[in-house]
Amino acid sequence: EAAPRFREWFNAIAPEDEKLPLDWAGLDRHPFQKMLVVRCLRPDRMASALTNFIRNTLPDGRSYIECDSTLNSLEILDSCLADSNPTTPIYFILSPGANVVADLDKKAAENGFQKGVSYHNVSMGQGQDVIAMSCLETAHRNGHWVILNNVHLMPKWLVELEKKLDEYAAEGSHEKFRVFLTSDPSNS
C-alpha cells in the first residue's frame, strides 16, 4: 500500500507542496523535517522547498523571498552597499546573464572610486594571490574597494584571505574599505 502512494507523491509536479503519504503526513506540522524528506527523495525540488520553508516558517520570511522581485540589479546592489561594512565582504555567486562586475564598476564610479586607483579589480588565478593581497592592504588602509573575481579557482588561498580580513577587522579598516568576491556556484 505504501509504495504506490509514495510513488504518486514522488511523481507529483511539486511534491514539496503535497502531503506526504500515510503516517508521514504529520510532517506537515514540522516543516524542517518535511524539507529533509524532500532533500532525500527529491533533491531536485530543494530550491522550491527551501523557498517555501523561508516564506512560511521564518518570522517575516515573505520579505526575504520577495525582497528583490521588483528591483533591478543596480537597485539590489545599492541595497547591499547600504547594508555593507568594512569587515564583511559582499559575495556574488555568478549566474548566466548576470553582469556583476559591470554593475559594480558603475557603482564604484558613482561613489567616486577610480578604476585602478581606488577601485581594484583582480581576476584570481595562478600568481594573482600576491597582487590581491597587495590591493587589499592598500584598500584597507586608504578606503578603497577591491573585487576579487573567480575566487573558486583558489580555494586553498581563501583560508589565507579569511585570516587577513580578520586581521583587518581587529585592526580597524578605513570606513570606506569594501571587499567584493565573485565565484561560480559549487557543484556539490
Side-chain angles (χ1 to χ4, degrees), residues 102-185:
D103 288 349
L104 198 55
D105 289 348
K106 286 179 190 172
K107 289 298 162 191
E110 285 176 16
N111 285 283
F113 294 95
Q114 188 178 354
K115 215 175 207 181
V117 178
S118 55
Y119 171 58
H120 311 278
N121 186 333
V122 182
S123 293
M124 300 307 293
Q126 190 172 9
Q128 296 301 301
D129 52 339
V130 175
I131 294 168
M133 285 301 196
S134 174
C135 289
L136 286 166
E137 186 65 36
T138 301
H140 153 71
R141 302 220 179 280
N142 300 315
H144 298 177
W145 285 7
V146 178
I147 180 169
L148 304 176
N149 289 293
N150 301 315
V151 296
H152 62 280
L153 297 176
M154 302 184 70
K156 291 179 183 171
W157 177 78
L158 290 176
V159 174
E160 187 179 333
L161 173 64
E162 182 179 16
K163 287 178 186 174
K164 184 56 79 175
L165 292 177
D166 287 345
E167 284 177 28
Y168 292 160
E171 184 181 318
S173 296
H174 190 287
E175 66 180 29
K176 290 187 176 182
F177 173 60
R178 295 294 184 274
V179 177
F180 305 90
L181 307 171
T182 72
S183 81
D184 282 347

Side-chain angles (χ1 to χ4, degrees), residues 24-99:
W24 294 76
L27 288 182
D28 280 342
R29 293 186 307 274
H30 306 282
F32 187 75
Q33 291 176 345
K34 181 176 181 182
M35 193 168 55
L36 294 176
V37 172
V38 172
R39 170 70 174 97
C40 291
L41 299 177
R42 286 292 303 270
D44 60 307
R45 299 300 304 166
M46 270 308 291
S48 180
L50 187 58
T51 298
N52 290 344
F53 177 79
I54 292 168
R55 178 183 291 117
N56 300 327
T57 307
L58 297 183
D60 199 25
R62 184 180 269 347
S63 67
Y64 292 103
I65 297 302
E66 298 170 1
C67 67
D68 300 336
S69 62
T70 61
L71 303 177
N72 66 38
S73 61
L74 289 170
E75 292 169 326
I76 294 168
L77 185 54
D78 274 336
S79 175
C80 290
L81 290 170
D83 291 341
S84 70
N85 62 55
T87 60
T88 307
I90 296 177
Y91 188 85
F92 299 102
I93 299 172
L94 302 174
S95 61
N99 195 346

Side-chain angles (χ1 to χ4, degrees), residues 5-20:
R5 305 228 2 234
F6 265 99
R7 186 174 297 111
E8 182 181 326
W9 178 86
F10 180 87
N11 290 327
I13 293 171
E16 67 280 2
D17 296 332
E18 304 290 331
K19 279 195 182 304
L20 285 161

